[in-house]
Amino acid sequence: MSDLAVINCRQLVTLAGPRHPRTGAEMRELAIIARGAMRIRDGRIVAVGPRLEIQRSLAGDTEIVDAGGRIVLPGFVDAHTHPVFAGTRADEYEQRAEGATYAEIAAGGGGIRSTVRKTRATPEAALLDAAHRYSGWFLRAGTTTIEAKSGYGLSLEAETKILRVIRSINAERRLRCVPTFLGAHEIPDEYQGINDQYAEAVIHEMLPHIAEDRLAEYCDVFCEPNVFPAPQAAAILRAAHALGLGIRMHADQFSADHGSLVAAEVGAVTADHLERTTAAGLTALKAAGVQPVLLPASVYNLGSAHYPAARQMIELGLPVVLATDFNPGSSPTASMTLVLSLASTHMKMTPAEAITAATINAAYSLDRGHEIGSLEPGKIADFVIHECDDYRELPYFFGRETADAVYSAGACVYQRSA
Ligand code: NIG
Ligand code: FE
């Protein structure tokens, strides 16, 4: 592979800094190089610095990427997505506009279970086609890595089908995918009323196969009193941990502190959502070193005003992460810049804090903080040229697509046509 140099960046937003997830005031330090440049070899960053310094060191055959005076950031790392499903839930969206609630629709057999029925009935190749379409949405939003959950199969056969689709997308080397098994996302139709038996099936029938075939790096559970209550969630997650999987959780989306306390107790890497978490839950997360993953697009799209307490979390020293929660029900968006806007407007995170949460902190939550999430020598060259003059414009001009060119490991994977 040849050498590559990215030149003419008005702001090279590197996020270079301490080698740990950023907390407190560290979240505001983006380590921006004005009129910066970057040198890349074999898909890895070799040097980052002021333009003149970098240009002096270039070999004659270096391929030049001219950022055209725009800004360059690390690719976003979206640490919570559900990208493999069949169909949409546009019908339920309409019902919600007419007054039905997400919980009412789910209680009536719709919601996640309606997507499960469609996903089970769809062949793997067709699911892969749909996932391709959504992968393109992530890339054009400036995202180069996603954490991708299963969870619309809820049987060994259908869950492994979904995880194979995630593996196929990752193997194409355009959008990096970190797979998570979410067999405990909902109680499927055939186990309604015998929830305990479904939890047993997840533990004894699904998890051992998933772990043996290395189809997932993480296991997630939707912890809510009426779905997977705390003791059941803990049992599933302990079984996953014993098989070598890392632990993430859907915690406190609708009820206070059930999930966060389990996350702290079982040593989860992340607790996600946290819309209802109280001070006790946050203190437990801090003590146990669990990273909060906040999903304001699902709050917005469900028409709720109950955003998570990001400021309190940052003040406590928690290394906050932001993600889209891309899924067909609560959050059908792949746009990280929309998430940045929601974080600044509704959770009072500064644009710099939000960008830190969407890049380096997210990378650490996926055990990839040493490889991606910032533009530093030695790291994989996942970077994006955004059409704006200042990083604060990313959340400020909300609702627009800003990415002009997206690079994964030094290769262009998306280019906006002229
Ligand atoms: O993170 N509530 C659990 N899971 C998703 C919603 C999935 C769906 O509605 O299809 C979430 O919001
Ligand atoms: Fe989710």
Side-chain angles (χ1 to χ4, degrees), residues 80-82 147 149 152 182 185 220 222 249-250 253 272-273 295 298 324-327 330-331:
H80 182 134
T81 84
H82 309 244
E147 181 262 10
K149 301 176 195 297
Y152 293 113
L182 178 54
H185 193 194
D220 188 342
F222 180 44
M249 281 188 72
H250 280 71
Q253 184 180 9
D272 307 28
H273 278 288
L295 311 167
S298 64
T324 60
D325 195 14
F326 177 71
N327 75 70
S330 65
S331 190

Side-chain angles (χ1 to χ4, degrees), residues 79-85 146-152 159 162-163 166 177-183 185 218-221 248-250 270 272-273 293 295 325-326 366:
H80 182 134
T81 84
H82 309 244
V84 183
F85 54 86
I146 62 169
E147 181 262 10
K149 301 176 195 297
S150 64
Y152 293 113
E159 286 291 308
I162 293 168
L163 289 167
I166 294 168
C177 300
V178 179
T180 293
F181 169 61
L182 178 54
H185 193 194
Y218 292 93
C219 178
D220 188 342
V221 171
R248 318 181 82 82
M249 281 188 72
H250 280 71
T270 68
D272 307 28
H273 278 288
V293 179
L295 311 167
D325 195 14
F326 177 71
L366 295 171

